[in-house]
Amino acid sequence: MTSPLRIGAVGLGRLGRFHAETVAKHLPHTELAAVCSVVPDELASAKNHFPNASGYADYTEMLNTECLDAVVLTSPSALHCAQLLQAAEAGLHVFTEKPLGITGEECQNVVQQVSAHPDLTIMVGFMRRYDPSYLEVKTRLDAGDIGRPILFRSYSVDPETCIDGALAYLPHSAGQFLDMAVHDIDLARWVLQSEPRMITAAGGCYAHPEFAAHDDGDNVAAFMQFKNETMVFLLAGRTAPHGYQVETEIIGTKATLRVGMTPQRNLVEILDAHGVRKLCSQGFLERFEQAYIAELAAFVQCIRKGKPAEVTVNDGLRATEIALAAQQAFRDRSSSSEPA
Ligand code: NAI
């Protein structure tokens, strides 16, 4: 029997605490050996909840002190590249949350540097690739079930109830395209097996003018044409009144596939004085819980089998580059000519 993989979980915020829980509870032959957060309350709570894990407020100290096999990085996006390279230099396998990085240069540097470590599994967390519904979409496209894809349309809109968190996060946000639409960008690349050749973007502040100060919108959209001719339309926003609106539609010459058009929490319908209602999921943990667990299980499987990651740093680089191109197109939009 092989010894358990010793994993350090870095970042214990909205998603990081869940990843730490997954390592501790759901992954066989794996040990949550250390947790790391610069927020004292989070760290204290995690040390209490995971008594077998050592707690660190400093990432470098964790790497220097603990005998780890891998790290799971759920720190702010601007830190992913540097922390990833530090871990790889120390010989550790790395799972990093999306986006891989917030500039093309830092992502290119990661791609170049990790090529010197073919023995390591370095994975980027695009969890939709592990969601059962999106997996079925991928299988059907690969089998040619929908014919030639004409339009790929995908929305990622957070509930308005989360707007306070989004506004507080604005100074650290990499923008809607990198924070939100990057999931749809990766999805499009993955299922279409193609890359954009044209990108344009638009958007605005429809409810929250605060986004304008950061050269961003509360809702932004990009329109692309991929090299295989598929048209791609993406919407990323923060103002869904009803819940976590993540939906995708792919129209092909032979069939159309749709995922999550109504973001319903479960199969319950409520028939009452207001009519017929379905309750909606209210956030990423509720909608993608299974996928978050499955992606970390896949990461551990790859390590165990000595295989490269299924979602690579090159996928992370491409998604960041495309998101940045969309962001630039959004920021340049005022210079585009108005139709006559
Ligand atoms: P958060 O702000 O709730 O938590 C950030 C965590 O990083 C905190 O625990 C903080 O202590 C820690 N941290 C900050 N600086 C650090 C440092 N120097 N060393 C070690 N830890 C440090 O952030 P949230 O929402 O959990 O997002 C974290 C990352 O996860 C982001 O990159 C975000 O894009 C990604 N994310 C991905 C999602 C997905 O659907 N795949 C959903 C939500 C977030």
Side-chain angles (χ1 to χ4, degrees):
M1 172 105 160
T2 49
S3 53
L5 277 180
R6 289 172 56 81
I7 295 186
V10 182
L12 300 167
R14 285 172 293 187
L15 180 56
R17 175 67 181 252
F18 183 82
H19 280 332
E21 189 84 28
T22 298
V23 172
K25 298 245 171 84
H26 296 293
L27 306 182
H29 308 306
T30 303
E31 182 185 335
L32 181 67
V35 289
C36 177
S37 168
V38 297
V39 178
D41 287 353
E42 281 178 8
L43 192 56
S45 160
K47 279 165 71 178
N48 188 39
H49 189 72
F50 306 112
N52 296 328
S54 308
Y56 293 87
D58 185 86
Y59 177 63
T60 305
E61 190 190 339
M62 182 187 89
L63 293 187
N64 289 341
T65 312
E66 291 293 321
C67 188
L68 298 173
D69 297 297
V71 289
V72 170
L73 302 177
T74 324
S75 48
S77 305
L79 303 182
H80 294 172
C81 285
Q83 291 184 337
L84 183 160
L85 289 176
Q86 217 180 326
E89 280 304 311
L92 307 186
H93 306 281
V94 181
F95 172 95
T96 178
E97 257 311 322
K98 52 53 68 173
L100 171 61
I102 60 169
T103 70
E105 292 75 20
E106 64 173 358
C107 294
Q108 279 156 10
N109 184 39
V110 164
V111 169
Q112 195 188 359
Q113 302 284 332
V114 303
S115 64
H117 303 282
D119 48 321
L120 298 179
T121 298
I122 313 273
M123 175 167 171
V124 180
F126 286 120
M127 80 297 181
R128 290 192 198 173
R129 295 192 188 202
Y130 295 87
D131 173 72
S133 302
Y134 284 117
L135 277 165
E136 179 165 344
V137 164
K138 170 73 171 154
T139 303
R140 288 185 180 277
L141 259 95
D142 286 353
D145 288 0
I146 77 159
R148 192 170 168 199
I150 299 167
L151 177 73
F152 175 103
R153 179 181 67 75
S154 205
Y155 299 170
S156 294
V157 186
D158 265 353
E160 177 69 35
T161 49
C162 296
I163 194 63
D164 289 344
L167 291 175
Y169 188 65
L170 261 180
H172 315 286
S173 167
Q176 308 291 356
F177 287 109
L178 264 173
D179 278 352
M180 310 268 296
V182 75
H183 283 295
D184 304 282
I185 290 167
D186 179 67
L187 203 56
R189 290 186 63 250
W190 179 56
V191 301
L192 298 174
Q193 291 294 295
S194 185
E195 302 286 337
R197 65 171 164 77
M198 178 279 277
I199 300 178
T200 184
C205 297
Y206 301 88
H208 302 286
E210 295 90 332
F211 285 84
H214 300 269
D215 223 350
D216 208 352
D218 57 31
N219 283 267
V220 296
F223 180 68
M224 310 181 187
Q225 187 152 33
F226 273 42
K227 289 177 182 163
N228 69 356
E229 300 292 312
T230 308
M231 294 177 281
V232 171
F233 179 78
L234 312 178
L235 172 70
R238 300 283 186 181
T239 56
H242 54 290
Y244 181 60
Q245 185 68 40
V246 170
E247 68 171 85
T248 303
E249 177 179 53
I250 309 173
I251 299 175
T253 51
K254 289 191 194 157
T256 291
L257 301 178
R258 291 177 173 173
V259 178
M261 310 304 276
T262 303
Q264 61 196 68
R265 177 179 292 174
N266 51 36
L267 296 178
V268 176
E269 290 185 356
I270 302 169
L271 290 75
D272 61 12
H274 303 288
V276 182
R277 293 182 289 133
K278 297 169 182 176
L279 298 183
C280 295
S281 65
Q282 293 298 318
F284 52 86
L285 285 177
E286 200 179 343
R287 167 67 180 86
F288 288 111
E289 178 178 4
Q290 214 179 334
Y292 290 124
I293 295 171
E295 66 177 350
L296 282 184
F299 172 61
V300 165
Q301 274 293 329
C302 287
I303 297 173
R304 288 260 176 243
K305 294 185 173 167
K307 285 176 26 186
E310 294 165 346
V311 191
T312 67
V313 288
N314 201 52
D315 292 317
L317 164 67
R318 288 301 297 137
T320 289
E321 285 178 334
I322 295 164
L324 288 173
Q327 185 180 67
Q328 194 57 50
F330 168 76
R331 289 179 175 169
D332 291 347
R333 68 198 186 288
S334 56
S335 61
S336 63
S337 57
E338 287 188 10

